[in-house]
């Protein structure tokens, strides 16, 4: 193997040192000490920060209007479905809602939905047992059975349906839809 020439190594080292010195001088000449910084405090306070704050406030205002509109739409939808007795009723919430169903209408119960039959006859349909839990008696109800009046039932498995025979009035709390 051939040894590198000393002259070549010295020239390369001198070139690297010159480049480093040139970079240092250029950065010092560009400015930036405590009395004369590269970006002045007055520029930050008078220009940069106010622009950033303005942009943040604009985006926050737009997002707030979007959220308010979404919230208003959800409240209106809940108000419409809570008082609706027609075929497309649905709901969910912390209080009970009185739902009137006519013969042949089907109510689909979501998980955790509670039902209290007041007037009429409801028949429960489910693919598995138990269809509903009878909270009042502590028992269960299987598919095909009719619900007892003034008993509180809970859907512990999703996609349980209740079919109305005649006019039915039922109190419902939780997620449901009437088809």
């Amino acid at each position: 193997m051939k040894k590198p020439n000393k002259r070549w190594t010295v020239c390369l080292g001198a070139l690297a040192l010159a480049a480093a010195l040139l970079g240092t001088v250029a950065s010092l000449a560009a400015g930036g000490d405590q009395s004369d910084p590269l970006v002045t405090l007055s520029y930050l306070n008078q220009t940069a920060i106010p622009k950033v704050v303005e942009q943040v406030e604009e985006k926050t205002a737009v997002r707030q209007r979007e959220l308010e509109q979404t919230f208003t739409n959800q409240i209106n939808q809940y108000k419409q479905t809570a008082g609706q007795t027609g075929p497309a009723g649905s709901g969910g919430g912390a209080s009970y809602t009185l739902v009137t169903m006519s013969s042949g209408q089907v109510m689909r119960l979501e998980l955790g939905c509670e039902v209290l039959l007041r007037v009429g006859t409801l028949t429960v349909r489910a693919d598995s047992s138990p269809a509903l839990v009878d909270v009042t008696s502590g028992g269960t109800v299987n598919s095909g059975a009719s619900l007892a009046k003034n008993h509180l039932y809970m859907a512990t498995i999703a996609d349980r349906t209740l079919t109305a025979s005649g006019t039915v009035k039922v109190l419902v709390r939780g997620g449901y839809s009437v088809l």
Side-chain angles (χ1 to χ4, degrees), residues 98-105 107 116-123 163-170:
L98 178 62
V99 178
T100 302
M101 298 169 58
S102 49
S103 185
Q105 280 191 305
M107 177 182 285
L116 182 88
L117 178 63
R118 296 293 293 146
V119 174
T121 304
L122 281 175
T123 305
T163 305
S165 298
T167 300
V168 173
K169 293 192 182 283
V170 61

Side-chain angles (χ1 to χ4, degrees), residues 35-110:
S35 65
D36 183 27
L38 186 60
V39 176
T40 63
L41 182 60
S42 61
Y43 172 78
L44 289 175
N45 289 336
Q46 295 172 3
T47 306
I49 292 175
K51 284 183 181 178
V52 170
V53 169
E54 181 182 336
Q55 290 174 353
V56 168
E57 287 175 347
E58 287 174 5
K59 289 182 180 184
T60 303
V62 168
R63 183 65 179 141
Q64 182 177 354
R65 285 191 297 271
E66 290 172 356
L67 289 173
E68 286 173 352
Q69 186 62 43
T70 301
F71 185 64
T72 301
N73 291 343
Q74 288 177 348
I75 288 173
N76 291 338
Q77 181 182 3
Y78 176 75
K79 285 180 181 178
Q80 288 174 351
T81 58
Q84 185 175 3
T85 58
S90 67
S95 62
Y96 286 95
T97 302
L98 178 62
V99 178
T100 302
M101 298 169 58
S102 49
S103 185
Q105 280 191 305
V106 176
M107 177 182 285
R108 183 174 303 280
L109 307 177
E110 294 179 12

Side-chain angles (χ1 to χ4, degrees), residues 146-164:
S146 295
L147 301 185
K149 290 181 181 147
N150 300 319
H151 276 227
L152 181 63
Y153 296 92
M154 178 182 276
T156 57
I157 300 173
D159 295 328
R160 300 315 198 205
T161 59
L162 302 173
T163 305

Side-chain angles (χ1 to χ4, degrees), residues 105-151:
Q105 280 191 305
V106 176
M107 177 182 285
R108 183 174 303 280
L109 307 177
E110 294 179 12
L111 182 66
C113 183
E114 296 175 345
V115 176
L116 182 88
L117 178 63
R118 296 293 293 146
V119 174
T121 304
L122 281 175
T123 305
V124 63
R125 299 278 181 238
D127 293 333
S128 60
S129 291
L132 296 174
V133 173
D134 185 343
V135 178
T136 305
S137 69
T140 59
V141 178
N142 292 323
S143 183
S146 295
L147 301 185
K149 290 181 181 147
N150 300 319
H151 276 227

